[in-house]
Amino acid sequence: MDPITVVIADDILNTREDVKRLLFFEEDIKVVGEAKDGEEAIKVVQQLKPDVVLMDINMPGLDGIAATERITDKVPQTAVVIISIQGEQEYLRKAMAAGAGEYLVKPFSSQELADAIRRVNDKMKRRQGSIIKLQEASEPEAPGRIVAVFSTKGGAGRTTLACNLSAVLAQEFRKRVAVVDLDVVAGDVAVLYNLVLPGSIGELAREAEINKEVIEGYIAKHLSGVKILGAIPTREEDPSEVAGRIPEILELLRQECNYVLVDTPPVLNAAVAQVLDIADDILVVGGSDLPALRRLKADLEFLATHQLGEKVHVVLNNASFEGGLKLTDVEKTLGLNSIYTISADARTLQAAANKGIPFVIMSKTSRAAQDIYRLAERFTGQETVKKGEKRSIIGKLLTF
């Protein structure tokens, strides 16, 4: 197998030499070029077309962020690892927005550096393979799937699930994803993404004509690639107005996206009924304590009564079984054979919410993030767990 080719971009010669020494004994990695600033890095990468470029963030002239943006545009088959002495989230956000696949904070070990190179290279190869398959496909692409995230219980975690699942689908699996916030009274999707919306879904619903161009005027785009059609709770909106336009709005979005996730409010109104009827999948969200399970069971019975049971996939959010209740007990209570769980991880979720960054981006290795990744696998049919990695039992429970 050919080694992973690497270019090092850093304005300090000693640092470039140090990086080469760290990689000297890695038989599957080969340094093929160097650059002392951003402009030179772009030229070297265009000439050599390496698998990976190690990019220092602070360089004279064109800095690492700007150079990364140019490289991902001009040489999209080359992955970028940003290297910096700054570990602040703002630098991470800028690096991701520019197209970097990894972000390493100095100092780091040879193992950490080599692992980062292998990860971004593997990710890029998977993405290129997916692109080739799409280009070779003779059949036109099927319309996207509409996924309703549903619960009649406030605080069940619908919005957190919708935002983090969409971020994984968009960033890790390179899917075109939109999130629709249907809670016109108290919607928080824009808050969890830390975005300012150009307009609300209620205002869109009042447009005389709705088409792709009109919808784009109400869309905000997150750095992960997710498109958000949100609600602005400070404005008085009539849910019934939104309900009447939901079918055409979602149909137009599914033509442009692989997945349209609809975050529903904790009520059963006309708009929610429209979404449940149109949806291809319904993620019914609940908790693992007895009061939450009673509400979850009522929701499932309601959906079954309206012949929607075949669309249902149950997700226990913030799940914890330390109080004696077991997952098998929950399955028996709900009459289900398979349930997916998102681990209780209050510290990670609170930190992510406070910073307006989905926790699957901010804390990718956390238990909750890994559970979201496994859930995303079911939608895409793509495997993210590396060969030899052990799955937790809860990651095997849900089959779409």
Side-chain angles (χ1 to χ4, degrees):
M1 182 180 295
D2 293 333
I4 301 170
T5 55
V6 174
V7 164
I8 304 169
D10 196 297
D11 59 314
I12 301 174
L13 175 61
N14 287 342
T15 300
R16 299 199 300 271
E17 294 299 323
D18 289 342
V19 171
K20 284 192 287 185
R21 280 193 289 271
L22 288 174
L23 297 174
F24 183 79
F25 293 105
E26 305 297 334
E27 296 181 356
D28 60 332
I29 299 173
K30 180 180 180 182
V31 176
V32 296
E34 301 177 39
K36 62 181 179 297
D37 56 44
E39 292 288 357
E40 186 177 7
I42 295 169
K43 294 177 183 178
V44 172
V45 169
Q46 286 181 304
Q47 178 183 358
L48 299 179
K49 294 181 172 57
D51 297 311
V52 178
V53 56
L54 303 176
M55 183 76 70
D56 183 39
I57 200 169
N58 293 316
M59 291 188 292
L62 194 70
D63 65 22
I65 295 294
T68 296
E69 194 168 13
R70 297 261 292 275
I71 287 171
T72 54
D73 179 53
K74 295 177 179 294
V75 193
Q77 68 270 30
T78 294
V80 180
V81 177
I82 288 285
I83 296 175
S84 175
I85 59 173
Q86 290 102 351
E88 289 84 357
Q89 289 296 328
E90 185 60 27
Y91 285 95
L92 171 60
R93 289 160 64 102
K94 289 180 179 179
M96 290 173 52
E102 287 279 341
Y103 188 97
L104 278 179
V105 179
K106 300 176 183 176
F108 43 77
S109 67
S110 59
Q111 188 65 53
E112 289 171 332
L113 178 60
D115 286 347
I117 291 171
R118 294 183 184 109
R119 278 197 303 271
V120 296
N121 182 65
D122 288 345
K123 188 186 299 184
M124 181 62 73
K125 293 295 184 285
R126 289 198 304 269
R127 186 195 311 173
Q128 290 174 339
S130 299
I131 292 173
I132 291 172
K133 288 179 182 179
L134 287 173
Q135 291 174 339
E136 293 176 347
S138 57
E139 296 182 2
E141 187 177 9
R145 297 184 70 83
I146 295 173
V147 182
V149 186
F150 172 74
S151 173
T152 60
K153 184 181 185 303
R158 297 178 313 279
T159 303
T160 299
L161 177 61
C163 291
N164 283 275
L165 178 57
S166 63
V168 169
L169 290 171
Q171 190 169 53
E172 185 70 20
F173 297 98
R174 300 296 170 180
K175 301 299 181 181
R176 301 189 307 278
V177 184
V179 176
V180 177
D181 192 343
L182 204 60
D183 191 348
V184 297
V185 176
D188 283 334
V189 169
V191 174
L192 290 191
Y193 281 118
N194 194 24
L195 290 173
V196 176
L197 299 173
S200 71
I201 188 173
E203 293 166 334
L204 173 61
R206 291 192 290 273
E207 292 279 358
E209 180 184 355
I210 297 178
N211 53 40
K212 295 176 183 177
E213 290 73 24
V214 172
I215 289 179
E216 279 298 318
Y218 289 87
I219 291 288
K221 190 171 183 180
H222 187 251
L223 57 85
S224 63
V226 177
K227 293 183 174 182
I228 292 90
L229 175 58
I232 303 178
T234 56
R235 303 180 186 179
E236 293 186 4
E237 305 286 9
D238 184 355
S240 63
E241 287 184 340
V242 177
R245 309 302 293 273
I246 280 294
E248 58 185 309
I249 292 172
L250 294 185
E251 188 58 41
L252 286 166
L253 285 172
R254 82 189 304 171
Q255 291 174 18
E256 298 296 310
C257 300
N258 302 116
Y259 296 97
V260 180
L261 278 68
V262 185
D263 182 22
T264 63
V267 293
L268 290 170
N269 57 27
V272 174
Q274 289 273 21
V275 172
L276 295 177
D277 186 54
I278 297 169
D280 299 290
D281 298 288
I282 302 173
L283 293 181
V284 185
V285 186
S288 57
D289 58 277
L290 284 175
L293 288 173
R294 291 193 185 98
R295 179 65 67 86
L296 177 58
K297 187 173 184 179
D299 286 344
L300 294 174
E301 290 172 348
F302 166 80
L303 294 170
T305 300
H306 290 79
Q307 288 78 51
L308 299 171
E310 292 184 357
K311 302 179 181 182
V312 166
H313 313 288
V314 175
V315 180
L316 292 186
N317 206 15
N318 198 30
S320 174
F321 300 100
E322 297 177 355
L325 197 64
K326 298 179 181 178
L327 184 59
T328 53
D329 298 327
V330 176
E331 291 175 338
K332 184 177 180 180
T333 300
L334 299 178
L336 298 172
N337 294 321
S338 60
I339 296 174
Y340 196 84
T341 64
I342 308 299
S343 301
D345 197 346
R347 179 177 297 179
T348 296
L349 270 63
Q350 183 177 8
N354 289 340
K355 294 182 179 180
I357 304 173
F359 63 77
V360 293
I361 295 175
M362 192 180 79
S363 302
K364 185 181 292 188
T365 59
S366 66
R367 292 181 302 162
Q370 290 302 304
D371 290 339
I372 294 287
Y373 270 71
R374 293 184 180 101
L375 177 57
E377 289 176 5
R378 308 307 185 207
F379 283 93
T380 62
Q382 298 176 22
E383 184 70 31
T384 60
V385 179
K386 296 179 181 178
K387 186 176 181 182
E389 181 180 342
K390 187 177 180 180
R391 280 180 181 271
S392 66
I393 188 169
I394 60 176
K396 304 176 181 178
L397 294 174
L398 181 63
T399 302
F400 283 93

